[in-house]
Amino acid sequence: MHRQNFQDILVNSLGLIEMPSRYLGNEVNAVKKDLAQMDLTVALTFPDLYEIGTSHFGLQILYSILNDQPKIAAERFFCPAPDMEALQRRNRTPCLSMESRIPLSEFDMIGISLLYELNFTNILTLFDLSGIPFLADERPDDMPLIIGGGPCTFNPEPLADFFDAFVIGDGEAVILEICQAVIQWKKSGDGKKKTLMKQLSVIQGVYVPSLFQPGFTPGGIQTLSALPPAATPVKRAILPDLENAPFPMTPIVPFGKPVHDRLRLEVARGCSRGCRFCQAGMIYRPVRERSVERLLKITADSLAKTGYRDVSLLSLSTGDYSGLTRLMGSLLGLDTDHCTAISLPSIRAEKLTPELMEIIRSVRKTGFTIAPEAGSQRLRDIINKNLSEESIEKTIENAFQLGWKNIKLYFMMGLPFETFEDIDAICELSKRLAHTKAKGKKTINVSIAPFIPKAHTPFERCSQISLDRSLENLQYLKDNLRHPKVKLKWQNPEMSVIEGVWSRGDRRLSTLLIEAWQLGCRLDGWSDQFRFDLWQEAFSNTGIEPDFFTTRKRSGTETLPWDHIDSGISKAFLKEEFCNAESLSLTPDCRENDCSGCGICDFDTIQPDIQPPAPEQAFHIQKPEPQDPNDFIKVRVVYSKQGDARFFGHLELVNIIERAIRRAGLTVRYTQGFNPGMKLSFDNPLPLGMASESESFYLYIPKGNRPGALVETLNKLLPGGLKIEAATLFTRQQEAPLADRYHIRFEHDIQVSEAVEKFMKLSEFVVEDISRKGKRREVNLREIVEKISIIDRQNIEIVIKKNNQRLVRPGEILTRALGLSEADIHSAVITKKKQDH
């Protein structure tokens, strides 16, 4: 099938699925190049739904780095939702890129983000829809090079058979070196992937599975033998500092409702606190910070280019950032229209200086999480949490005093050396914290998840808690953690079993993944999609015993599946830390104490990069002067919404318009109060999928400004399909039309002439519905329909009069009066026509 046909089918399918904006592309700051003129095309692929993947900061970094290269183009792919997957299979259409709508299989290189083990089946969905063979050794040389990256690559073995290569560590450090190698191979190589794999294997941070021969002991333990030129261990790629690292200054502004709908600001990478259970705290060492000056420059530029108002400070431990007080105070010193909320996920009590507390009081609050991890002090010492109960209580007290109303506590069950008393301690601690004095209604959300021992941590050889024990502990918490101010939430322990298998497994799991996918496992990280029964069937069919990888404790001499990967943390340090856990010995934070000897630093190019402490400074947050309503005029803005833009929901549309206004730097009127909002109002929202040649919204601009100037200004900043047609001074004399005219273009021929004739001859056609308030309503559709004109077999027009009873749309006429199916309506293009006054 021709590429254009795939694109046409995609557009025609959007009316048949939920959340069509997941597949639109064309977002603000998306980059679209002429792929035919590129030396290399890269498909950046996130194996989860759009609203998850588009929020991933790492994807934005790589997208920016690659597209900054004049001869490299990067485009994005996400996993389709089940309704879209079914439609793609029915129409035999592959996965298409967000930017150019090109099939996945036509890219030179596919880079897949591996952040979560329960996304693995989604990789096979993307491959299968795109006609890409699952196994690397079954793909011909002209198929795309497939590379994985992200934290899951620190045990790459379960996916080794599916990938050509993995990037271990910081992608920014090696991505361009990989790309140059591929470009050179394309231009002057022999066309054989084996040649390219050997070239890639000598790049630090690149692991090529085909150059490592697996073997198994009689006890079922995997061993690996490196084949030349590959060397073992494979050393992690490390970015020496963040200050000079690339940053996505013009990040894509997603449609829909992404999980992180704000500007993300990575203040630091790495953590030195040394929690023994935490994989991220080990594999992202050492700590590297960005300077306050650099962060402020990034923020000012990025807010202006995105239209965001909220900022999220990203780091494994944001409260430890050395310039936190100065940064937050300076962020609030920006134009108050552009920075109204700062997401500070968690901060320890000892970090709350008077200056920082004053700053926090002045901002709109987002979420606040504190992670005790364990209920008892004994177990917190075992895991080296370095968090006392007194500190926890003080942090909660401060958070309530600073204005947070909902606080999340995060605990784990199944930690090494855990006893029943530790589970009971979760209940006792949560109840005590719920009694913290606070004004107003406060809630503590307790979240519990089974602990999974991960690779490259001191607990990597420990056994995982069994499913039965997890369920027993969870039931105890449900029975005993009952308090009016406490809500208990938990991760499904069955999901943790599957996550444990994949995080601790080896190459034998490739058959399991294929079997589970063929049985129907999809989107396993979503509780409403997860099917443990299908995974159990897959285990049975493949003969793989999950307990071998989860509940079995590894001996100190057993070869681990990930031993050939060098994270930079020495095995001796991990062993010593496990011994410290047994003896309840704490290891202090090397940021403020002596080096702990973890092995990551060479103290030449790789070492902690902590910004010097900022001078003491008092911040006085000045509230903006209230706007005088008399200084503004009300403007009516007429816009059209056609093409792909008809699939924007109303809230999406409002966000798009508001952010365009902010990116344009326009002064407009805002509401008053703690959380001011733009004074923007719209006429009745259109149904999802309906186009219009003329809709209106209203805003206020300063007196003396010319309303007509908004047309050109905003049209430069709106996505395709949205266009400002006119902007005029609002007057109450502007009369609304008495009727609306709609044009309907059907995908296929329809036969409605008899139904139209019969309906138009009626004197009444009364239908009933129930209002949102539960009241029964009747409306005479025949009285409301002024005219129905059949243009040809695929096009008709309907004129609907305004009425005082309720809003009637063409879809209701087409289905109830003319007897057409919902499928006919959803696949049709309905356009509200411009009225002649």
Side-chain angles (χ1 to χ4, degrees):
M1 191 180 293
H2 192 268
R3 182 186 292 172
Q4 183 61 48
N5 292 336
F6 291 145
Q7 297 171 356
D8 292 341
I9 290 172
L10 170 66
V11 174
N12 292 334
S13 300
L14 294 177
L16 304 174
I17 57 175
E18 294 182 2
M19 297 182 66
S21 60
R22 283 171 170 161
Y23 312 99
L24 290 180
N26 194 32
E27 307 103 318
V28 169
N29 297 331
V31 178
K32 185 176 179 180
K33 297 184 178 182
D34 182 354
L35 302 189
Q37 302 301 315
M38 297 294 108
D39 289 340
L40 184 71
T41 57
V42 182
L44 293 177
T45 305
F46 196 96
D48 206 334
L49 299 183
Y50 172 84
E51 53 267 35
I52 303 296
T54 199
S55 293
H56 177 48
F57 187 65
L59 190 75
Q60 293 269 24
I61 292 175
L62 296 179
Y63 186 84
S64 174
I65 291 173
L66 293 172
N67 282 317
D68 279 347
Q69 303 300 307
K71 300 297 286 184
I72 298 176
E75 302 198 347
R76 296 161 299 138
F77 288 80
F78 303 97
C79 185
D83 58 347
M84 187 61 170
E85 181 190 346
L87 207 57
Q88 287 181 258
R89 295 193 182 283
R90 188 160 65 245
N91 294 329
R92 298 182 180 180
T93 54
C95 295
L96 303 178
S97 64
M98 301 295 291
E99 285 77 8
S100 301
R101 293 180 177 170
I102 303 300
L104 181 63
S105 60
E106 295 187 17
F107 284 76
D108 297 320
M109 189 165 78
I110 300 173
I112 301 179
S113 299
L114 302 174
L115 270 75
Y116 184 31
E117 291 83 359
L118 295 189
N119 286 342
F120 289 176
T121 53
N122 303 335
I123 299 170
L124 300 194
T125 298
L126 288 158
F127 284 1
D128 186 67
L129 288 170
S130 303
I132 298 174
F134 291 162
L135 300 176
D137 61 7
E138 294 180 356
R139 294 193 288 267
D141 289 338
D142 61 353
M143 293 293 284
L145 173 72
I146 298 178
I147 299 180
C152 292
T153 64
F154 282 83
N155 177 22
E157 291 310 289
L159 292 178
D161 291 341
F162 303 95
F163 283 75
D164 296 308
F166 295 94
V167 172
I168 314 297
D170 296 324
E172 307 102 307
V174 294
I175 184 63
L176 291 181
E177 189 175 355
I178 292 171
C179 288
Q180 290 306 318
V182 177
I183 291 171
Q184 187 62 33
W185 172 76
K186 283 181 61 183
K187 290 181 175 180
S188 58
D190 58 10
K192 295 181 179 179
K193 265 191 184 175
K194 287 184 178 180
T195 303
L196 176 61
M197 292 302 100
K198 291 179 180 180
Q199 294 170 352
L200 294 179
S201 69
V202 300
I203 300 174
Q204 181 172 336
V206 176
Y207 168 53
V208 178
S210 61
L211 295 179
F212 286 75
Q213 184 67 39
F216 292 89
T217 69
I221 306 303
Q222 176 181 292
T223 60
L224 291 172
S225 301
L227 306 175
T232 185
V234 178
K235 292 188 175 182
R236 164 192 160 205
I238 303 177
L239 197 65
D241 72 274
L242 278 193
E243 184 70 2
N244 301 303
F247 192 97
M249 302 293 286
T250 56
I252 292 172
V253 182
F255 296 140
K257 195 162 183 61
V259 292
H260 298 297
D261 195 15
R262 57 179 70 93
L263 179 66
R264 285 151 292 171
L265 200 60
E266 187 186 27
V267 299
R269 190 176 301 180
C271 179
S272 54
R273 287 196 170 270
C275 299
R276 293 170 183 141
F277 61 87
C278 182
Q279 186 187 51
M282 297 293 166
I283 64 174
Y284 289 121
R285 292 186 178 199
V287 175
R288 291 146 289 167
E289 294 185 342
R290 281 190 171 92
S291 68
V292 171
E293 290 75 18
R294 172 79 170 136
L295 291 169
L296 291 174
K297 176 67 166 59
I298 290 170
T299 304
D301 290 351
S302 296
L303 288 178
K305 292 172 181 176
T306 59
Y308 282 129
R309 299 178 71 195
D310 297 354
V311 175
S312 179
L313 305 183
L314 298 184
S315 172
L316 289 175
S317 183
T318 304
D320 289 332
Y321 175 62
S322 59
L324 183 61
T325 301
R326 183 179 165 215
L327 174 63
M328 291 191 65
S330 299
L331 287 175
L332 292 176
L334 298 174
D335 184 348
T336 52
D337 174 29
H338 289 97
C339 188
T340 59
I342 301 174
S343 175
L344 186 64
S346 178
I347 185 166
R348 294 179 181 232
E350 62 268 22
K351 299 290 183 178
L352 283 171
T353 63
E355 293 82 11
L356 185 56
M357 290 177 69
E358 184 62 29
I359 292 169
I360 293 174
R361 279 195 181 94
S362 67
V363 300
R364 179 162 56 91
K365 308 300 184 293
T366 55
F368 191 97
T369 300
I370 183 170
E373 313 292 358
S376 70
Q377 190 62 51
R378 182 192 72 89
L379 195 52
R380 285 195 293 275
D381 290 346
I382 286 174
I383 64 177
N384 204 49
K385 186 62 184 177
N386 281 304
L387 187 62
S388 68
E389 190 158 318
E390 180 184 2
S391 178
I392 296 170
E393 292 173 350
K394 188 64 176 178
T395 300
I396 298 296
E397 181 182 337
N398 286 334
F400 281 146
Q401 288 179 354
L402 291 172
W404 273 278
K405 298 183 188 319
N406 299 297
I407 293 177
K408 181 178 179 180
L409 298 177
Y410 184 81
F411 294 97
M412 288 184 287
M413 58 180 172
L415 287 162
F417 311 109
E418 180 184 83
T419 66
F420 170 77
E421 285 72 20
D422 297 307
I423 298 298
D424 186 61
I426 295 175
C427 300
E428 297 306 312
L429 176 60
S430 300
K431 291 176 184 176
R432 283 198 301 275
L433 295 176
H435 286 102
T436 302
K437 293 182 179 180
K439 295 180 180 180
K441 186 178 180 181
K442 311 294 182 183
T443 302
I444 291 181
N445 294 307
V446 175
S447 179
I448 186 82
F451 168 64
I452 300 169
K454 292 290 180 87
H456 308 284
T457 67
F459 295 151
E460 63 182 358
R461 295 181 179 274
C462 295
S463 60
Q464 183 175 330
I465 187 173
S466 69
L467 177 59
D468 288 343
R469 181 64 184 273
S470 291
L471 294 172
E472 289 174 8
N473 287 347
L474 182 57
Q475 189 59 54
Y476 180 85
L477 291 170
K478 291 178 182 179
D479 292 340
N480 291 276
L481 190 50
R482 294 180 177 178
H483 191 281
K485 294 183 180 179
V486 177
K487 294 182 180 178
L488 176 65
K489 299 180 181 179
W490 59 89
Q491 177 171 309
N492 183 348
E494 295 174 341
M495 298 173 77
S496 297
V497 170
I498 305 304
E499 182 182 346
V501 169
W502 286 104
S503 63
R504 295 160 63 79
D506 55 35
R507 293 196 188 189
R508 285 171 292 188
L509 296 184
S510 58
T511 58
L512 174 68
L513 188 66
I514 294 172
E515 179 67 16
W517 181 85
Q518 289 175 337
L519 289 171
C521 292
R522 303 284 194 281
L523 295 168
D524 300 293
W526 295 78
S527 57
D528 61 336
Q529 300 292 328
F530 180 72
R531 290 284 304 275
F532 190 58
D533 59 324
L534 296 183
W535 279 103
Q536 289 176 307
E537 187 178 348
F539 285 125
S540 177
N541 292 349
T542 57
I544 289 174
E545 176 54 56
D547 287 348
F548 181 83
F549 300 106
T550 55
T551 58
R552 183 179 64 87
K553 183 178 180 180
R554 274 75 164 170
S555 72
T557 58
E558 179 180 319
T559 300
L560 300 173
W562 50 86
D563 273 350
H564 59 300
I565 303 298
D566 181 4
S567 68
I569 306 299
S570 73
K571 290 291 184 181
F573 174 76
L574 297 180
K575 183 177 181 179
E576 181 183 359
E577 279 299 281
F578 182 77
C579 293
N580 287 337
E582 283 186 303
S583 62
L584 275 68
S585 299
L586 296 176
T587 300
D589 187 342
C590 67
R591 176 195 289 261
E592 300 164 349
N593 298 274
D594 293 338
C595 173
S596 59
C598 72
I600 191 63
C601 297
D602 61 12
F603 298 101
D604 179 16
T605 58
I606 307 300
Q607 58 189 329
D609 184 16
I610 311 297
Q611 296 298 315
E616 291 295 326
Q617 184 174 357
F619 289 96
H620 302 286
I621 309 302
Q622 294 183 346
K623 295 183 179 180
E625 291 292 327
Q627 294 175 324
D628 185 346
N630 295 318
D631 293 338
F632 292 84
I633 56 173
K634 185 175 182 180
V635 174
R636 177 177 182 246
V637 181
V638 178
Y639 66 97
S640 56
K641 184 186 180 196
Q642 302 187 82
D644 287 353
R646 65 192 176 96
F647 294 109
F648 294 141
H650 181 63
L651 293 180
E652 287 177 272
L653 177 66
V654 173
N655 272 335
I656 290 168
I657 298 294
E658 282 193 357
R659 286 170 179 167
I661 292 170
R662 283 197 289 272
R663 292 203 312 281
L666 298 175
T667 299
V668 295
R669 188 178 164 196
Y670 280 78
T671 61
Q672 302 300 311
F674 187 69
N675 181 25
M678 194 178 294
K679 282 189 72 68
L680 194 66
S681 60
F682 286 73
D683 284 342
N684 286 325
L686 294 173
L688 188 67
M690 182 181 288
S692 177
E693 295 179 348
S694 180
E695 294 296 306
S696 297
F697 67 85
Y698 307 87
L699 78 164
Y700 296 81
I701 64 174
K703 286 180 177 179
N705 287 16
R706 187 170 61 88
L710 293 172
V711 177
E712 182 179 358
T713 300
L714 292 179
N715 278 335
K716 294 176 181 178
L717 301 169
L718 293 175
L722 278 181
K723 182 181 179 183
I724 305 299
E725 303 290 349
T728 58
L729 183 66
F730 172 79
T731 62
R732 298 194 180 278
Q733 287 73 34
Q734 292 171 334
E735 294 184 2
L738 299 177
D740 292 318
R741 180 166 59 96
Y742 298 89
H743 180 276
I744 300 97
R745 176 171 57 83
F746 294 94
E747 186 178 11
H748 306 290
D749 289 356
I750 58 163
Q751 300 292 335
V752 293
S753 54
E754 290 185 9
V756 169
E757 183 178 359
K758 181 179 178 181
F759 174 74
M760 295 304 291
K761 287 181 178 179
L762 298 173
S763 60
E764 64 177 17
F765 190 96
V766 178
V767 296
E768 294 182 0
D769 80 324
I770 304 297
S771 70
R772 290 182 179 179
K773 295 182 178 180
K775 294 183 178 181
R776 178 174 163 274
R777 300 182 299 185
E778 289 186 350
V779 63
N780 183 355
L781 294 185
R782 178 60 194 88
E783 183 180 62
I784 290 173
V785 176
E786 183 178 297
K787 185 179 181 181
I788 301 179
S789 303
I790 300 176
I791 300 171
D792 56 37
R793 292 183 177 181
Q794 287 186 278
N795 294 273
I796 68 173
E797 284 197 352
I798 301 177
V799 179
I800 301 176
K801 302 175 187 176
K802 300 289 180 66
N803 71 93
N804 295 325
Q805 296 166 291
R806 66 174 175 84
L807 189 63
V808 175
R809 295 293 191 185
E812 187 173 4
I813 307 297
L814 296 170
T815 54
R816 290 191 166 193
L818 303 187
L820 294 175
S821 69
E822 291 289 342
D824 289 330
I825 309 307
H826 290 311
S827 61
V829 178
I830 302 176
T831 303
K832 184 180 174 184
K833 304 296 287 184
K834 183 178 180 181
Q835 297 292 334
D836 297 322
H837 296 286

